[in-house]
Amino acid sequence: MNALAQMSALAERIAADPAPGETIPPEPILAESRLPAPTFAERMRRVAQVAALHADAVDRDGRFPAEAVAALRAERLLGIQIPEALGGEGADMSRMAEVCFSLGQACAATGMVFAMHQIKVASLVTHGAESPWHRALMQRVAERQLLVASATTEGGIGGDLRNSLCAVEAEGDVFAFRKDATVISYGAHADVILATGRRHPEAASSDQVLVALTSDQFTLERTSRWDTLGMRGTCSDGFVLAARDVPVAQILPKPFAEIAAQSMLAASHLLWSSVWFGIASHALDRARTFVQAEARRRPGTVPPGALRLAEATSSLQAMKGTIQGGLRHYEEAQGSPAALGSIGFAIALNNVKTTASTMAVSIVQVALGIVGIAGYKNGTPFSLGRALRDVLSAPLMISNDRIHSNTANLLLVQKGGGTFLGA
Amino acid sequence: MVLRMMISSQDIRETLGGIESLSGQVDRLSDDDDLFDKGLCSFGSVQLMLALEERFNIEFPDHLLNRTSFATIRAIRSTVTTIVEPVDA
Ligand SMILES: Cc1cc2nc3c(=O)[nH]c(=O)nc-3n(C[C@H](O)[C@H](O)[C@H](O)COP(=O)(O)OP(=O)(O)OC[C@H]3O[C@@H](n4cnc5c(N)ncnc54)[C@H](O)[C@@H]3O)c2cc1C
């Protein structure tokens, strides 16, 4: 038996004990998380199990994780964020982050689908509460477990969230809408799409609104295929998204600038980061199992990979602290538009995204270095190819350079004097 | 001695005139028009804050650095006024 085969055999024996992230309920991201219900953990675990089972096929075939999304529906996790009064569970951001983390370990594409759906729902919950149409939509999301997608990215604009070319063209009580949406994750599987556009055809490019379109109203004409390095299961094809005769009541009443600042950017950075944290944790779990197997094979020595493992574990802990801090900051600012709209908050949340995405990539790379060929190969208990390819999307998903330049601009006016233990 | 500096909406308009994302529009703005709706972007709003700090020799504290403080000419005037007036010397 060569070394690799021996290692695999050992790992399989170790894996007969609970495998990392599979049968042990994942450690909560927030130590003091209000994660009460074992039932919630159980629901989350069941979905993660389904997601893990199909993750390789979803990745290989670049197909929608239909089984895992069906499991999310069966466990009624798509509606958890909706207020109880509208049929949901009123789950907070930390709880959703837990699900993202758990799914991120099992199948990052499923984790990202869940994250993106909940980011859209966050905008509905935060900014749609006073609009009867959007309240009814929330009720339907909870009741029928509808899947909500996002169309912000646009041909000619790219990832610049706060500018649009397309516009709402209202006539009387209805409007028409057409967008060259170059990336809509799971667009072909979405029940609802929230899209940005200019308020009217003469509006400035930054004078945007967010419109909710339902699948019986919109048409999607595919313009590009999502054949990518990683995150293949998000099926983020390009489409021309078009709809006509849509009631103007479906336009969210708040300016998109406020929606972006107060719910969408924060929710995106926190939930995406939680998925990436899941990927990094999963990779490091594999590296640890590998190092432990090596240690058992050569008693009395500390395997060389253990040093790198120690280093990466410290990075993982720092990454976790960064995301937890962001979650706490977000939850403390809830209900205060001034706090949510402040420059300090924007900078802090931008930093969560850039830090978490950068660290996640480096942690997975270190994990691969520890595991070596067994990680580079597909189909071993230590394979890290999918994790590496998936995590490489993190710095690109709203380019870190774009975010840094936004932060650089904000830093021109921010004043110091923050506290250590406060936000 | 108490120094009082009256901030007029004309002072604010002059400063707004130098902000690229609002260029050419300032004369047509009412005191209550939402500047963000008129095209003020986040880059432009920071440039505006910097220009106001320079012009009035003030520094906006963090708690005033938000959208509502800079949303309209009237809001800017009141934000600036809370900082410059009164100044005890
Ligand atoms: C897995 C995944 C799923 C996605 N799902 C969706 C979705 O469902 N809906 C959706 O609308 N979008 C989605 N996106 C797109 C995403 O939101 C961004 O729009 C996209 O990642 C930006 O793509 P881009 O590289 O073309 O960036 P662009 O923003 O066009 O920028 C291109 C490059 O230019 C540079 N650059 C641009 N602007 C600046 C600047 N101001 N400062 C410095 N450098 C700059 C950067 O290096 C950047 O990489 C998804 C992306 C990923 C990876």
Side-chain angles (χ1 to χ4, degrees):
Chain A
M1 221 201 273
N2 66 23
L4 183 59
Q6 257 174 6
M7 195 64 81
S8 300
L10 256 172
E12 265 152 33
R13 230 176 303 147
I14 293 166
D17 300 336
E22 282 168 18
T23 46
I24 310 174
E27 192 191 332
I29 292 195
L30 275 184
E32 67 276 39
S33 160
R34 282 137 285 170
L35 186 84
T39 58
F40 181 74
E42 179 65 17
R43 287 155 75 195
M44 196 163 76
R45 195 183 61 77
R46 281 197 293 252
V47 180
Q49 264 175 346
V50 175
L53 197 63
H54 300 280
D56 283 328
V58 162
D59 173 59
R60 187 185 55 237
D61 304 336
R63 71 164 175 83
F64 183 65
E67 302 86 349
V69 172
L72 280 167
R73 287 195 163 109
E75 300 291 348
R76 305 201 64 74
L77 289 176
L78 292 184
I80 46 170
Q81 195 186 175
I82 310 272
E84 283 174 42
L86 299 175
E89 299 173 36
D92 61 13
M93 197 57 80
S94 297
R95 180 165 285 205
M96 289 182 295
E98 294 284 7
V99 182
C100 291
F101 166 62
S102 162
L103 293 176
Q105 296 173 83
C107 168
T110 304
M112 200 42 93
V113 170
F114 179 81
M116 291 189 279
H117 163 83
Q118 294 296 355
I119 291 159
K120 294 295 106 184
V121 175
S123 295
L124 289 174
V125 170
T126 315
H127 305 281
E130 272 126 54
S131 148
W133 193 89
H134 294 95
R135 287 177 70 84
L137 177 64
M138 285 187 263
Q139 253 164 345
R140 277 191 288 154
V141 169
E143 188 188 316
R144 300 188 215 156
Q145 296 288 299
L146 303 183
L147 185 62
V148 188
S150 165
T152 59
T153 306
E154 184 174 12
I157 294 267
D160 181 3
L161 187 71
R162 289 287 292 102
N163 280 289
S164 290
L165 291 175
C166 67
V168 169
E169 297 185 31
E171 233 188 274
D173 293 342
V174 294
F175 68 90
F177 187 80
R178 185 182 168 84
K179 178 165 188 161
D180 174 17
T182 46
V183 192
I184 307 182
S185 292
Y186 54 93
H189 304 269
D191 301 305
V192 180
I193 296 180
L194 295 195
T196 47
R198 288 179 300 130
R199 186 185 301 278
H200 54 80
E202 276 76 48
S205 65
S206 62
D207 182 9
Q208 298 160 289
V209 289
L210 190 64
V211 301
L213 306 170
T214 55
S215 58
D216 54 341
Q217 292 173 325
F218 63 70
T219 58
L220 291 171
E221 184 194 322
R222 190 178 275 109
T223 51
S224 66
R225 284 252 171 223
W226 183 254
D227 180 6
T228 49
L229 196 58
M231 287 292 182
R232 295 170 56 80
T234 61
C235 296
S236 309
D237 295 342
F239 297 97
V240 172
L241 167 68
R244 48 178 52 255
D245 298 326
V246 183
V248 290
Q250 294 183 214
I251 304 172
L252 269 140
K254 299 273 167 61
F256 179 65
E258 265 173 52
I259 299 176
Q262 294 180 15
S263 72
M264 195 177 142
L265 286 177
S268 302
H269 294 342
L270 292 169
L271 296 186
W272 292 350
S273 295
S274 302
V275 175
W276 303 328
F277 181 64
I279 302 175
S281 304
H282 164 77
L284 219 52
D285 279 341
R286 292 204 153 176
R288 190 180 52 243
T289 310
F290 183 89
V291 169
Q292 288 174 349
E294 223 176 37
R296 289 181 202 184
R297 208 156 55 92
R298 300 210 183 99
T301 62
V302 176
L307 199 62
R308 288 278 165 264
L309 179 66
E311 201 178 35
T313 304
S314 131
S315 300
L316 190 76
Q317 185 180 324
M319 182 182 174
K320 179 170 167 174
T322 299
I323 304 170
Q324 286 177 340
L327 284 166
R328 229 171 271 131
H329 199 152
Y330 177 80
E331 276 159 11
E332 279 163 15
Q334 278 312 294
S336 162
L340 290 169
S342 74
I343 283 191
F345 181 75
I347 292 174
L349 271 292
N350 277 355
N351 288 343
V352 169
K353 192 277 172 178
T354 53
T355 303
S357 58
T358 308
M359 291 186 90
V361 171
S362 106
I363 291 167
V364 177
Q365 274 176 342
V366 172
L368 179 61
I370 294 169
V371 170
I373 286 295
Y376 196 65
K377 274 182 84 168
N378 293 326
T380 85
F382 302 106
S383 297
L384 287 171
R386 174 161 56 82
L388 183 64
R389 288 182 291 100
D390 286 343
V391 85
L392 284 173
S393 67
L396 312 180
M397 196 164 179
I398 307 287
S399 152
N400 276 4
D401 272 357
R402 197 184 270 289
I403 295 179
H404 280 313
S405 60
N406 176 270
T407 303
N409 182 42
L410 299 176
L411 284 172
L412 299 179
V413 288
Q414 195 201 25
K415 309 301 181 296
T419 55
F420 175 50
L421 293 176
Chain B
M1 185 180 78
V2 175
L3 263 181
R4 282 191 178 274
M5 178 163 36
M6 288 305 291
I7 310 291
S8 70
S9 77
Q10 190 51 36
D11 291 325
I12 307 295
R13 284 170 190 277
E14 280 169 22
T15 315
L16 284 174
I19 304 302
E20 200 178 345
S21 45
L22 291 172
S23 64
Q25 294 195 64
V26 176
D27 295 343
R28 280 178 280 128
L29 294 175
S30 81
D31 279 9
D32 295 308
D33 274 339
D34 188 314
L35 301 175
F36 293 94
D37 288 353
K38 299 292 175 188
L40 185 62
C41 57
S42 78
F43 178 74
S45 65
V46 167
Q47 294 304 311
L48 171 62
M49 294 170 194
L50 286 170
L52 293 165
E53 290 189 337
E54 177 71 12
R55 178 172 180 136
F56 298 105
N57 194 22
I58 52 175
E59 285 202 6
F60 295 111
D62 276 336
H63 73 269
L64 291 178
L65 296 178
N66 57 53
R67 199 178 145 85
T68 39
S69 304
F70 297 90
T72 64
I73 291 176
R74 194 183 303 282
I76 297 172
R77 207 176 134 196
S78 116
T79 304
V80 173
T81 304
T82 57
I83 300 175
V84 299
E85 191 180 293
V87 178
D88 287 316

